[in-house]
Amino acid sequence: MRSLQVVLVSSVGVLALGVAIVAFAPELTSKIASTSQFAMFRAAVNIHHQLYGTNSSTRPSVETSFMSKILKNSPSVDAERVHKPSVFRKHLEETMISLCAYPSHLNITRTMHSVPVGNGASIPMLWLDFPASTPKPSKHITIVYFHGGGFIEGSIKAYEGVVANLVNELQLIGNSVGGSLHYSVVIPEYRLAPENPLPTGIEDCLEAYKYILKEGNDENTILFMGDSAGGHLTISVALEAIEKGVPTPKALVAFSPWTDLTNSNPSITTNADNDPVLNPAMINKFSDWSAPSMEAKEKYSLLNYDARKFENVFPPLLIQVGSHEMLLDDAIFMSKLTGDLEIYENQGHDFNLFVGWIPEAEDALQSVNKFIKHHLL
């Protein structure tokens, strides 16, 4: 028993070292980081199963416990001392790429587009078309994915691996129960604050959506999806579409949405020590950069909106959040205005994105699949 405990501790230690190496020397590990880290992670989990009698059905999962500890102890940007957005952007990009490598083996058709956003400016947009599982799929669904990052960080490069793995898993789930779904996903790279504070991100994403419609895509086959600040955009862009008379997407899915930019909900404080991803200094800095005045913070806080905005023509919304998140109350209070809410126990911010790493991410996608089949099929 003692020897197994030593092996378990050593395995987790080696995995943590692997994460640290990626953080400090990404160029050294760009090709092997994700594979090697995942192998070490699975080894540590399997040893835990043998030692403590847990298994793949255990919830909260062993993977969640390990991942939470790894994220909490991994190098991060000190938001109280760092005042350059570029530092945050680089750190997120390196972390996302190391943990969620792009699945190049899947033969996904990858196309870049340039979307005009007014005043001679344009933004890049990545279009991924997944190979259909059958010669004649019963339904083609286009997901417009709005990336997270507090309106400050995030990019196509940072998110393409995460989103591709997520949508591939969603297609596999949908087709494992007798379906024949075919997915495409589009990722607009909206302009970021503080260089471009809100509402620039909202306006850019609406222009991207209008571009997608002009390309001949039927709004009844389109799903908005996003995480964190992208969860905000999932909701706010749909509202903006209604306001501007643009046909709305058929449904919306928001992972861990940031809906109160004043950061005044109780869980911001009560879950500060529980959330392995967010911390108060970071989220307050991002709020100040994306909405520099209190008037702007209140204006773009979705929780301040009149409930009547979400009546009648507002699309069905699924909100997923972890019980350990600082943004837990953002999700709960948003669901009181509109949407179905699912709370996943012991999960931290953006747990949905860790497909393949933690089984709760797959659990959440099973629910997303049911939501999609109910509203888009």
Side-chain angles (χ1 to χ4, degrees):
M1 177 69 74
R2 176 68 177 172
S3 61
L4 277 175
Q5 290 175 326
V6 171
V7 172
L8 176 63
V9 172
S10 299
S11 298
V12 176
V14 170
L15 177 60
L17 176 62
V19 174
I21 290 172
V22 169
F24 288 115
E27 70 286 349
L28 191 67
T29 58
S30 58
K31 293 183 179 179
I32 62 172
S34 185
T35 301
S36 60
Q37 285 183 104
F38 186 74
M40 288 186 288
F41 187 84
R42 294 313 317 171
V45 169
N46 290 334
I47 292 170
H48 189 284
H49 287 338
Q50 295 178 39
L51 184 61
Y52 294 107
T54 53
N55 56 53
S56 59
S57 299
T58 302
R59 296 291 184 276
S61 67
V62 175
E63 291 90 336
T64 285
S65 177
F66 284 3
M67 184 58 73
S68 179
K69 289 180 174 64
I70 290 167
L71 291 172
K72 284 184 177 181
N73 290 287
S74 295
S76 60
V77 179
D78 186 345
E80 293 183 345
R81 299 179 60 182
V82 175
H83 305 292
K84 293 182 178 180
S86 59
V87 176
F88 290 94
R89 292 165 187 167
K90 181 180 179 182
H91 180 264
L92 177 69
E93 188 173 285
E94 291 174 351
T95 301
M96 297 289 268
I97 291 173
S98 69
L99 290 176
C100 304
Y102 183 80
S104 55
H105 63 284
L106 291 180
N107 196 31
I108 302 168
T109 302
R110 191 176 184 279
T111 311
M112 289 297 299
H113 294 248
S114 181
V115 179
V117 291
N119 297 321
S122 62
I123 60 169
M125 186 169 71
L126 176 63
W127 204 305
L128 301 177
D129 189 40
F130 288 73
S133 58
T134 60
K136 294 183 179 180
S138 61
K139 185 77 171 184
H140 179 238
I141 295 172
T142 299
I143 295 175
V144 183
Y145 194 96
F146 304 122
H147 69 74
F151 301 108
I152 308 303
E153 55 188 7
S155 62
I156 288 173
K157 185 176 180 180
Y159 264 80
E160 62 179 343
V162 173
V163 175
N165 280 290
L166 187 152
V167 175
N168 179 60
E169 182 69 18
L170 191 58
Q171 181 163 292
L172 289 174
I173 291 171
N175 292 334
S176 67
V177 290
S180 57
L181 302 180
H182 175 207
Y183 279 99
S184 296
V185 61
V186 188
I187 311 172
E189 189 170 282
Y190 56 90
R191 289 171 290 179
L192 301 172
E195 299 89 342
N196 298 281
L198 291 171
T200 301
I202 299 171
E203 294 169 348
D204 284 358
C205 289
L206 180 62
E207 290 303 316
Y209 175 52
K210 288 162 64 177
Y211 178 97
I212 293 166
L213 292 176
K214 289 178 182 177
E215 287 290 296
N217 293 274
D218 184 348
E219 68 270 15
N220 291 312
T221 66
I222 294 177
L223 173 81
F224 280 3
M225 180 182 289
D227 68 283
S228 196
H232 181 296
L233 290 168
T234 294
I235 300 166
S236 57
V237 174
L239 286 170
E240 191 72 5
I242 294 170
E243 191 76 19
K244 298 291 176 62
V246 178
T248 58
K250 189 67 173 178
L252 319 172
V253 175
F255 302 139
S256 308
W258 186 24
T259 59
D260 177 23
L261 273 60
T262 68
N263 296 329
S264 57
N265 286 324
S267 61
I268 293 290
T269 301
T270 58
N271 268 344
D273 292 332
N274 295 327
D275 197 321
V277 175
L278 299 181
N279 63 73
M282 179 174 67
I283 197 171
N284 286 329
K285 181 180 288 290
F286 284 11
S287 175
D288 289 340
W289 278 346
S290 60
S293 67
M294 180 54 68
E295 180 183 6
K297 289 178 175 62
E298 292 176 345
K299 180 178 181 180
Y300 297 112
S301 292
L302 298 173
L303 301 187
N304 292 334
Y305 285 20
D306 191 315
R308 287 174 294 184
K309 280 183 172 284
F310 303 102
E311 295 175 353
N312 301 323
V313 295
F314 192 76
L317 167 66
L318 173 64
I319 301 171
Q320 294 182 335
V321 68
S323 67
H324 281 183
E325 292 201 43
M326 289 177 62
L327 300 184
L328 173 62
D329 287 337
D330 284 45
I332 291 174
F333 296 145
M334 189 70 234
S335 70
K336 294 183 185 300
L337 289 173
T338 185
D340 297 325
L341 175 67
E342 296 178 350
I343 301 175
Y344 289 77
E345 290 302 314
N346 292 72
Q347 298 306 306
H349 186 63
D350 271 358
F351 75 95
N352 317 67
L353 306 188
F354 290 91
V355 174
W357 290 89
I358 60 173
E360 286 87 348
E362 277 93 18
D363 294 345
L365 284 183
Q366 291 280 355
S367 182
V368 171
N369 176 63
K370 292 177 182 176
F371 177 80
I372 289 174
K373 287 198 168 184
H374 179 71
H375 292 289
L376 279 91
L377 300 186

